[in-house]
Each structure stands twice: as structure tokens, then as C-alpha cells.
Amino acid sequence: MTGSAAVTVLLFAAAREAAGRGRLEVPHREGLTAADVWKNLESERPALAPLAGSVSVAVNHRFVPRDTLLAAGDELAFLPPVSGG
């Protein structure tokens, strides 16, 4: 699958552990949103479901709402909450 026809998805921390990988590509289609990608990931990897309310979404290194439309070639990242110490 080429980058131009897909969206690259990056998973970090607990999401990476739950999915068993940190990077994957999903086919792009018209009207695809970050929320759609997360729902599809959850259906394939149910261990992600408990994280749904706590991850932030970034597209091309910018934080965005989950209903953001994705373009072919975008990089979509699901980021865990950050805690300091």
C-alpha cells in the first residue's frame, strides 16, 4: 500500500501495547475521520476500547478534533495523556 493511498497511523504507550504495534497504514476513503479510524482499530483490537476516552488525536503533528476529515497521505497519531512528575 502506498502512502498516497493510505493514512499512516501511529500509536503510543498503552495504545501501542494494546494494538501490538506502533505504526500501521489504513486505506483512505472519502469522508474518513480520525474517529472512524479509531472505531475500526477498536473492532480489530478490542484491548484499545478502554483507551478511547483518554487519547488525543493529532494529524500531521497538529492536535485536532476526532471528527477531522483525513486526506490520503496524512499521518494520524493517537497520543496518550501526558503526566508529569
Side-chain angles (χ1 to χ4, degrees):
M1 184 175 298
T2 64
S4 62
V7 173
T8 300
V9 180
L10 303 175
L11 301 166
F12 297 92
R16 180 184 186 135
E17 292 175 22
R21 60 195 296 189
R23 180 185 181 104
L24 58 130
E25 289 190 351
V26 297
H28 178 265
R29 63 173 169 74
E30 189 70 29
L32 183 68
T33 67
D36 296 332
V37 172
W38 183 265
K39 286 191 325 192
N40 288 339
L41 288 173
E42 274 186 4
S43 70
E44 296 170 6
R45 298 162 178 90
L48 288 169
L51 306 173
S54 63
V55 293
S56 296
V57 177
V59 175
N60 301 327
H61 306 277
R62 301 186 92 171
F63 287 102
V64 297
R66 291 175 187 252
D67 63 353
T68 297
L69 289 173
L70 301 171
D74 278 349
E75 180 182 83
L76 169 62
F78 292 107
L79 305 159
V82 178
S83 61

